[in-house]
Amino acid sequence: MDLNDDRPTAAGQPDRTARKPAGATWAQRLGRLIAPITKRSKEHGSYALANRDSVRRAILGRDPFGTWTHPTSGARMVVNLSSAYVPAFCDAVQRKDPRPYKNCYDLARLGGRRVSKDRRLVDAALPVADMTKVYFGAVELNGAGIRFYGDMCLVLKNDAVDGATCVLDRNSFELLRSPVADEFADSSPADATAARQRKLQSWSGLWATDLGFTMKVLRSVGAQDRRWTVGQISRAVRDDEDYIEVLRTASFGPADLQEARISHTDAAHDALVGSRLLRGPMPRLESLIWRNRRSRAERALRAAGVPVRIVTTSGRTRE
Amino acid sequence: MSAPASSVMPPGHAWRLEAFDLRAGLAFATFRSEQVETQEIEDWPCLFFSPPDFAPEPIDNVAAALAATRGSFDAGLIVADREAAFKTPEEVAEFVRRAYVSSASGDGSDGPGGGGGPIPPLPDDPREPFFPKFDPDEKEDTDRPSAGRALRHAIQDFVRQMNGSVPPASFFVDWSKIRDSDPVESLTRGALHLIAELLGRFPGPSSTNLLRWLEDVRLLGDCISRLGLWELIFLRHEADLSRLAWALRCRAGWVDRMCDREFLAFLFASRAIPDSAAVEALHRFYPLHLVPGPGTNASWGDPLEALGRLPLPAFASAMAPSDSTRLASIEHLLVGFVAAPWALLTQLDARASRATLDMVVFASACVAALDISTATQPCFPWMAPRVSPLQMQLIRQAGAKGLAWLAEQLPVRGFAAPLEDRIRDARDIRYFDGKAS
């Protein structure tokens, strides 16, 4: 398998004119990770190469034999949003709001929210031109995104993410945590800023050309003498709050969504609240509010033409 | 997880909100010293809270909290120029839970989400605020005070403790006395206020909103019927009901051959559609409650959605956010009251606060005491109303269920006034014209 395969990917046509991140491509770095594995054991090396190809096919939404691409499968940019805000997000089109999905800077302008010094520090190091125009997301294969940020996982369409969109192989706030932060601890502010920028540059890639060669799965699952399953790959791509970060430089609205996903645990809890309403004991008020908001959110999404799906099988897609 | 024992607790350390979204009910709390500005994070103990349970969940990666501030999350809860501190994770959970509930009183203001909300008032609504003709200071059974009075006393006690607290102190709140109070008067008066408000929002005989208004009227009629309250309301407040019926009949201009009771039965308990010729013909030959028609459309799968269709009278509008007073509903009142009960006493005058408490008791009974699993026939007093001791017992039981449920939802802990204000102000958080959390 040619690591520099330039065939069109599920994330859009590769953009050769896009600014390439400095340093090695993810394909090259992945190759360097696999090389010592092969050196230790030829068999493990062969499995590593075969599993690498499985990851690429899963990311691109291709079948196991790489012969066709499913239009709704593959890696997607997802953003989790609380169901409390989904009606306003969907209603933005009626209000002719140019930024239906809002980042902290949009909300800071509108409502006076405080922007933390931590975030300004990290955002200043991002490999993007204007950090106030960045809308962060995560890469997801089959799951319901990062639940910490909201119970509705908004899944952007394949063609709604430009091929030149920057991706980071981890949360950019890792810059502030040990051991990375220790590297700049004794530097002057100017040197620390430059060092952070170099570090983020080293983590960054492009959606179209690098995502298929993510090292995250190999690092998570490890070298084995077994073939990885799509479920394992899916879970490794986004594992709890360890995710591949997407730095989209434009807002998006309901028309950009492929679907919205809700987790099966939330769906079960929702149904239990409904059952308790009929049979008792009477649910608590916050449970009723939570359920009511989710119902309103789903109605708003479906009215906007966005299907809502429950993720019922962990890390596996349904054709 | 809890903070280390006090003997080993680092000085100045407390649980602090690292990143939070009060409307979403999501919060990351870390155990650390106060930091208004910071450049370096450490691997502090970190807990995550989310609805509907708000159970603390340990998080290993504080970076996840910081990344949350890129969206709708706020960074750091600053109150009176200091970073807010909580002694235990339970206090954090209670603060976030109450703010989450409070925020629901602003739902619908930044996107309808398919929920209709109550029918709006007429643009040139000439009505004076309606209050039933009863003596608010009439003698009560001192062994069993009314629910409204018991709630008022408990809230006054809450306010005293709140004003006497200094951050980061919190206090436990005891609502047990309202469980033993008498709900009957509050139920009937609360229902009467809602009857008056809905009738006052009659949109006109040829309005496109007429059928929707009629559905909402019949939804209220169904609630009252299921609680067994119609006879009691007629028994105690027939003069007020006649006054309201007459005012509406003058505006409607149809069904003028009916008496007041038949008119109210047609509105609240029948399924007939308001076609004057058809109704007049039917009136001569059929009892109205047997007339087939579109029927009510009660949203009984969700009691909050049902309460969301019952409008909040203007005298209580201060309990709703300022940008949504026209579409404020009993649902908004209930959630706002549960989250910050003290606001009722500070924002309404005595008469309005008594009436509002009655509506809260009625709303609680609608949530907790109605059997929504079965359809029922409307139960309306066609002849002189009578309420037997057994009927009264059933009404009391329903009211008691509502009060028991309400007592369970009210705050377990109160905080000093600045934090209580933040809980109340969560109702103003919006997504498109947002205010700070």
Side-chain angles (χ1 to χ4, degrees), chain B residues 40-197:
Chain B
E40 289 179 19
I41 60 172
E42 298 168 23
D43 284 330
W44 303 303
C46 182
L47 295 173
F48 175 69
F49 301 83
S50 65
D53 298 327
F54 300 97
E57 182 186 338
I59 299 289
D60 182 55
N61 186 354
V62 179
L66 298 176
T69 61
R70 286 186 164 135
S72 58
F73 283 63
D74 234 341
L77 179 63
I78 307 298
V79 175
D81 298 325
R82 298 289 303 273
E83 189 174 17
F86 300 91
K87 290 200 235 51
T88 63
E90 289 75 23
E91 286 191 7
V92 178
E94 181 71 351
F95 174 80
V96 177
R97 181 192 73 81
R98 288 179 57 199
Y100 175 75
V101 173
S102 172
S103 74
S105 65
D107 279 358
S109 299
D110 53 1
I119 201 135
L122 295 170
D124 55 350
D125 190 347
R127 293 177 295 146
E128 294 292 321
F130 168 83
F131 288 98
K133 289 188 185 316
F134 58 85
D135 181 2
D137 296 320
E138 68 190 45
K139 282 202 170 51
E140 288 192 355
D141 177 359
T142 52
D143 289 336
R144 196 173 183 196
S146 70
R149 189 176 289 256
L151 273 168
R152 211 158 48 243
H153 287 165
I155 296 169
Q156 284 163 349
D157 191 48
F158 185 108
V159 172
R160 264 193 299 275
Q161 292 194 78
M162 178 178 86
N163 291 336
S165 296
V166 177
S170 67
F171 52 91
F172 285 101
V173 192
D174 179 17
W175 304 97
S176 57
K177 288 198 172 109
I178 70 171
R179 292 172 194 262
D180 298 325
S181 61
D182 186 351
V184 173
E185 282 303 324
S186 288
L187 285 176
T188 53
R189 291 176 193 174
L192 195 55
H193 285 298
L194 295 179
I195 290 170
E197 187 62 26

Side-chain angles (χ1 to χ4, degrees), chain A residues 166-304:
Chain A
C166 181
V167 291
L168 300 177
D169 78 353
R170 67 198 68 188
N171 180 348
S172 48
F173 272 95
E174 293 289 336
L175 276 183
L176 301 182
R177 293 182 81 210
S178 295
V180 177
D182 299 339
E183 296 175 22
F184 336 115
D186 298 325
S187 305
S188 68
D191 287 346
T193 301
R196 288 191 198 99
Q197 288 172 339
R198 285 194 299 275
K199 180 62 73 175
L200 281 187
Q201 199 68 272
S202 74
W203 292 347
S204 67
L206 298 178
W207 179 275
T209 53
D210 290 309
L211 192 58
F213 299 104
T214 174
M215 293 146 284
K216 194 169 185 298
V217 185
L218 178 58
R219 286 183 169 138
S220 299
V221 182
Q224 305 174 334
D225 58 348
R226 304 178 78 87
R227 291 296 302 272
W228 298 336
T229 65
V230 173
Q232 285 174 305
I233 294 168
S234 185
R235 276 192 293 277
V237 164
R238 200 272 308 157
D239 185 3
D240 205 9
E241 70 259 30
D242 183 12
Y243 54 90
I244 300 170
E245 196 165 85
V246 184
L247 280 59
R248 180 186 162 89
T249 53
S251 180
F252 58 90
D256 297 306
L257 300 183
Q258 171 180 304
E259 63 184 0
R261 296 176 187 164
I262 53 182
S263 73
H264 55 282
T265 47
D266 279 349
H269 200 148
D270 198 318
L272 180 66
V273 174
S275 170
R276 291 283 176 265
L277 268 176
L278 293 175
R279 295 187 179 83
M282 184 53 57
R284 288 189 57 89
L285 183 56
E286 53 268 19
S287 294
L288 295 176
I289 292 168
W290 179 76
R291 181 172 175 264
N292 193 12
R293 280 177 165 174
R294 290 166 60 80
S295 170
R296 286 179 172 159
E298 182 166 344
R299 263 181 275 170
L301 285 165
R302 288 167 69 176

Side-chain angles (χ1 to χ4, degrees), chain A residues 81-82 84-85 87-89 91 95 97 100-105 107 110-119 121-123 126 134 136 147-151 171-174 176-178 181 185 196 240-243 245 266 269 273-274 277-278 282-293 295-297 299-300, chain B residues 18 21 23-24 26 28 36-41 43 48 51-54 57 59-76 78 97 100-101 103-104 107-108 110-115 301-305 331 334-335 338 367-368 372-373 405 408-409 429-437:
Chain A
L81 186 65
S82 167
Y85 296 127
F89 165 76
D91 200 50
R95 296 194 308 270
D97 187 337
Y101 177 76
K102 301 187 184 310
N103 65 20
C104 56
Y105 295 97
L107 290 165
L110 290 169
R113 284 174 194 259
R114 203 167 69 103
V115 177
S116 77
K117 195 171 175 183
D118 279 335
R119 198 177 64 242
L121 206 70
V122 172
D123 289 352
L126 290 173
V134 179
F136 292 86
R147 62 191 173 85
F148 299 124
Y149 306 147
D151 55 336
N171 180 348
S172 48
F173 272 95
E174 293 289 336
L176 301 182
R177 293 182 81 210
S178 295
R196 288 191 198 99
D240 205 9
E241 70 259 30
D242 183 12
Y243 54 90
E245 196 165 85
D266 279 349
H269 200 148
V273 174
L277 268 176
L278 293 175
M282 184 53 57
R284 288 189 57 89
L285 183 56
E286 53 268 19
S287 294
L288 295 176
I289 292 168
W290 179 76
R291 181 172 175 264
N292 193 12
R293 280 177 165 174
S295 170
R296 286 179 172 159
R299 263 181 275 170
Chain B
E18 199 67 46
D21 182 338
R23 187 172 176 194
L26 302 170
F28 294 86
V36 179
E37 300 272 8
T38 182
Q39 278 203 349
E40 289 179 19
I41 60 172
D43 284 330
F48 175 69
D53 298 327
F54 300 97
E57 182 186 338
I59 299 289
D60 182 55
N61 186 354
V62 179
L66 298 176
T69 61
R70 286 186 164 135
S72 58
F73 283 63
D74 234 341
I78 307 298
R97 181 192 73 81
Y100 175 75
V101 173
S103 74
D107 279 358
D110 53 1
D302 190 328
L304 288 190
E305 203 167 305
E331 176 201 358
L334 181 63
V335 299
V338 164
V367 172
I372 63 173
S373 61
W405 179 82
E408 201 186 21
Q409 315 310 310
I429 299 172
R430 301 285 179 268
Y431 195 63
F432 66 82
D433 188 9
K435 293 188 182 178
S437 291

Side-chain angles (χ1 to χ4, degrees), chain B residues 69-414:
Chain B
T69 61
R70 286 186 164 135
S72 58
F73 283 63
D74 234 341
L77 179 63
I78 307 298
V79 175
D81 298 325
R82 298 289 303 273
E83 189 174 17
F86 300 91
K87 290 200 235 51
T88 63
E90 289 75 23
E91 286 191 7
V92 178
E94 181 71 351
F95 174 80
V96 177
R97 181 192 73 81
R98 288 179 57 199
Y100 175 75
V101 173
S102 172
S103 74
S105 65
D107 279 358
S109 299
D110 53 1
I119 201 135
L122 295 170
D124 55 350
D125 190 347
R127 293 177 295 146
E128 294 292 321
F130 168 83
F131 288 98
K133 289 188 185 316
F134 58 85
D135 181 2
D137 296 320
E138 68 190 45
K139 282 202 170 51
E140 288 192 355
D141 177 359
T142 52
D143 289 336
R144 196 173 183 196
S146 70
R149 189 176 289 256
L151 273 168
R152 211 158 48 243
H153 287 165
I155 296 169
Q156 284 163 349
D157 191 48
F158 185 108
V159 172
R160 264 193 299 275
Q161 292 194 78
M162 178 178 86
N163 291 336
S165 296
V166 177
S170 67
F171 52 91
F172 285 101
V173 192
D174 179 17
W175 304 97
S176 57
K177 288 198 172 109
I178 70 171
R179 292 172 194 262
D180 298 325
S181 61
D182 186 351
V184 173
E185 282 303 324
S186 288
L187 285 176
T188 53
R189 291 176 193 174
L192 195 55
H193 285 298
L194 295 179
I195 290 170
E197 187 62 26
L198 255 181
L199 294 185
R201 294 198 186 198
F202 172 66
S206 48
S207 165
T208 51
N209 273 335
L210 179 61
L211 281 179
R212 182 189 157 193
W213 173 82
L214 198 56
E215 279 177 7
D216 292 350
V217 167
R218 285 165 182 177
L219 174 71
L220 177 60
D222 196 33
C223 290
I224 296 171
S225 202
R226 288 173 187 260
L227 290 172
L229 284 174
W230 277 119
E231 283 90 347
L232 197 57
I233 292 174
F234 268 92
L235 198 61
R236 296 188 176 184
H237 303 288
E238 184 150 17
D240 287 308
L241 285 172
S242 292
R243 187 159 54 106
L244 292 168
W246 177 248
L248 178 53
R249 286 165 69 186
C250 292
R251 287 167 65 199
W254 34 261
V255 298
D256 57 349
R257 291 191 187 184
M258 290 185 178
C259 69
D260 290 335
R261 193 176 299 174
E262 284 173 327
F263 178 67
L264 290 171
F266 155 69
L267 285 182
F268 284 97
S270 81
R271 292 169 184 261
I273 54 174
D275 177 292
S276 61
V279 169
E280 280 204 40
L282 292 167
H283 168 62
R284 289 183 196 147
F285 301 105
Y286 298 105
L288 272 173
H289 67 285
L290 294 178
V291 173
T296 58
N297 191 27
S299 304
W300 284 125
D302 190 328
L304 288 190
E305 203 167 305
L307 292 179
R309 294 170 62 180
L310 303 180
L312 188 68
F315 64 74
S317 60
M319 294 296 292
S322 56
D323 64 345
S324 54
T325 49
R326 269 176 59 85
L327 293 178
S329 69
I330 298 305
E331 176 201 358
H332 294 140
L333 168 66
L334 181 63
V335 299
F337 175 79
V338 164
W342 54 268
L344 183 140
L345 290 187
T346 58
Q347 290 175 323
L348 301 178
D349 63 32
R351 195 184 199 192
S353 67
R354 273 194 291 268
T356 303
L357 282 173
D358 291 337
M359 290 191 289
V360 167
V361 173
F362 178 79
S364 302
C366 287
V367 172
L370 296 187
D371 179 5
I372 63 173
S373 61
T374 55
T376 61
Q377 275 284 75
C379 183
F380 205 83
W382 299 104
M383 294 176 290
R386 279 194 302 260
V387 180
S388 67
L390 204 57
Q391 272 178 292
M392 192 64 96
Q393 188 181 337
L394 283 172
I395 294 171
R396 280 213 164 88
Q397 273 180 5
K401 262 191 194 173
L403 287 176
W405 179 82
L406 179 65
E408 201 186 21
Q409 315 310 310
L410 286 166
V412 173
R413 285 174 197 260

